[in-house]
Amino acid sequence: MDVDVNGGSRRRTSSRSTSSEQSCEEDQMDLRRGPWTVEEDLVLINYIANHGEGRWNSLARCAGLKRTGKSCRLRWLNYLRPDVRRGNITLEEQLLILELHSRWGNRWSKIAQHLPGRTDNEIKNYWRTRVQKHAKQLKCDVNSKQFKDTMRYLWMPRLMERIQASSATAAATTIGVSSSATSTTSVGNFHRNNNNNFPNVGTGHDGVLVQGVTSDFSGHLAQINANYTPENSSTANSCDSLGNQVSPVSDLTDYCYNLPISGNNQNYNFQGGQIGYFSDSLISPSGYFNQGLDFNQPMDQQSNQWFDATANGVVDQSENLWNAEDIWFLQQHFGCSSSNNNNSM
DNA sequence: AATTTCCCCAACCGCAGTCCC
DNA sequence: CGGGACTGCGGTTGGGGAAAT
């Protein structure tokens, strides 16, 4: 991401308008807009390869591109730059986006700094198309506490569990041992590790005070990301036709999550990865687990009618963040009603 | 098969911040 | 110090492909 890492990238190192730049200025008439052509891309790539980036307005003129400097900059940074990472957002990246967005809000460029190769535009699009869509499905405002808690207590733990599961599977595969998602790896055993080598999260990076829920969760993130690179991501192990990495499970959709849950109000154990850290490090959303529900009662006995409807495919579980049990849970605890059988977009 | 609707994402726009003259 | 030029950021739009009807 293009940021003022040292406060100096915007600093002009030469006088505003050199003679060579001025000689180019007559080329700036009838500016083009809209999609870039292959020829334009090549011109821009070649010019930057020879002259470097920056000074976008003069670059556009001198390269002979009938584009604004802003357009050239955007095209380069979001598409042509060699280190732009293409393909689906991986689970790790999704988790990181959710975590960082919960901390910083719509600071896309800042979030993008922590996802190498991803652009602010891409993250922004991801958020708008995926996250906000699910908020609408739940008829929650994406900025509401309800939805944020939903992300924190359902979505993010789920992501972590999926990452754990795929990591365990990959590891077992590597050593030739069959494995299942019920690995002995316990998410609940994660603890803040300030020695992690993922420096950007969980350790007060950027002057952000990381504490409480965020702190501990960031510790988990740090663990997850300590060994993460785009190359070794457990979920980025396939490629599309262009050779770009594509996550086989890039969305929060198809995972069958196993409730019911422990009846303890805050010791909220999910099958699979053990999410016992809720009781220690995460603050239970007020009252969410404390409404007298019998979690030990089978889900389908509690909500037969609705469950049947979802099980019959009214809810497209392959494309929804929330499976039937989740939505039931959300209805019970958050007052969010599912709109999966319609489209509120 | 044709049409409509939905969804994704590249690109644009406006604004604010920064730098230099 | 003010103003113009430039850059970067976040919000928004619209084209095109996919899915649904």
Side-chain angles (χ1 to χ4, degrees):
Chain A
M1 192 53 211
D2 55 313
V3 266
D4 298 334
V5 177
N6 53 16
S9 66
R10 294 185 190 175
R11 189 181 194 91
R12 275 171 272 293
T13 54
S14 61
S15 62
R16 172 160 313 193
S17 179
T18 66
S19 58
S20 63
E21 287 165 357
Q22 288 169 338
S23 69
C24 301
E25 287 177 357
E26 58 269 21
D27 296 331
Q28 58 181 320
M29 301 305 166
D30 60 301
L31 292 173
R32 272 181 50 82
R33 292 176 58 190
W36 280 64
T37 65
V38 175
E39 289 75 19
E40 288 177 311
D41 283 345
L42 289 174
V43 169
L44 183 57
I45 290 169
N46 287 333
Y47 189 89
I48 291 176
N50 291 327
H51 301 90
E53 55 182 283
R55 309 292 313 269
W56 293 105
N57 280 335
S58 58
L59 183 154
R61 289 192 299 267
C62 295
L65 289 163
K66 298 185 185 306
R67 295 276 183 175
T68 65
K70 289 178 78 167
S71 181
C72 292
R73 173 183 167 272
L74 209 61
R75 183 64 177 172
W76 174 253
L77 294 175
N78 286 345
Y79 196 83
L80 298 175
R81 211 164 31 123
D83 56 335
V84 167
R85 184 152 177 253
R86 313 286 279 283
N88 294 343
I89 305 287
T90 65
L91 294 176
E92 290 90 343
E93 288 172 323
Q94 292 178 40
L95 187 57
L96 201 48
I97 290 169
L98 295 180
E99 160 66 10
L100 296 179
H101 186 276
S102 72
R103 194 185 309 172
W104 293 325
N106 296 355
R107 301 289 305 279
W108 306 119
S109 63
K110 190 168 185 176
I111 293 171
Q113 292 174 44
H114 299 272
L115 288 107
R118 299 296 187 184
T119 67
D120 54 350
N121 211 31
E122 196 171 11
I123 294 167
K124 181 170 56 182
N125 282 332
Y126 166 76
W127 184 267
R128 292 185 60 81
T129 58
R130 306 273 161 65
V131 180
Q132 290 194 351
K133 182 178 80 174
H134 291 306
K136 286 183 178 179
Q137 284 179 334
L138 293 170
K139 294 183 178 174
C140 291
D141 186 279
V142 74
N143 294 316
S144 68
K145 182 177 186 303
Q146 286 180 337
F147 189 73
K148 287 176 179 175
D149 283 337
T150 302
M151 283 196 301
R152 179 173 298 163
Y153 295 103
L154 276 179
W155 194 340
M156 293 167 80
R158 168 174 302 184
L159 275 170
M160 290 177 61
E161 187 181 341
R162 290 177 66 179
I163 293 166
Q164 287 287 306
S166 45
S167 296
T169 302
T173 302
T174 302
I175 62 174
V177 176
S178 66
S179 99
S180 70
T182 52
S183 154
T184 54
T185 304
S186 170
V187 179
N189 290 334
F190 273 94
H191 293 291
R192 175 83 169 275
N193 175 11
N194 285 325
N195 293 324
N196 71 76
N197 58 1
F198 190 79
N200 294 336
V201 178
T203 55
H205 171 76
D206 249 357
V208 175
L209 179 60
V210 183
Q211 58 184 359
V213 169
T214 304
S215 173
D216 276 324
F217 189 74
S218 296
H220 306 319
L221 272 181
Q223 285 281 357
I224 290 164
N225 285 284
N227 299 313
Y228 169 73
T229 68
E231 289 69 33
N232 71 9
S233 167
S234 60
T235 57
N237 52 8
S238 60
C239 298
D240 64 14
S241 58
L242 298 174
N244 297 318
Q245 290 171 332
V246 177
S247 169
V249 277
S250 63
D251 209 342
L252 304 155
T253 52
D254 53 359
Y255 183 76
C256 182
Y257 213 76
N258 293 308
L259 295 171
I261 306 145
S262 162
N264 293 341
N265 287 347
Q266 296 186 6
N267 200 358
Y268 204 60
N269 293 315
F270 292 78
Q271 186 173 338
Q274 181 183 340
I275 318 292
Y277 61 81
F278 274 144
S279 61
D280 308 316
S281 58
L282 293 185
I283 302 167
S284 169
S286 54
Y288 292 156
F289 309 145
N290 194 18
Q291 297 182 14
L293 285 168
D294 180 6
F295 287 112
N296 294 317
Q297 185 177 359
M299 189 71 63
D300 51 354
Q301 290 178 20
Q302 298 190 41
S303 186
N304 263 334
Q305 187 176 4
W306 184 87
F307 190 86
D308 287 347
T310 58
N312 286 335
V314 175
V315 174
D316 177 5
Q317 295 193 29
S318 69
E319 266 305 313
N320 270 294
L321 163 64
W322 316 110
N323 64 24
E325 291 147 348
D326 290 341
I327 296 167
W328 172 87
F329 173 81
L330 291 165
Q331 286 179 322
Q332 295 294 319
H333 292 270
F334 290 81
C336 295
S337 58
S338 166
S339 61
N340 286 281
N341 52 359
N342 58 46
N343 194 325
S344 60
M345 289 292 284

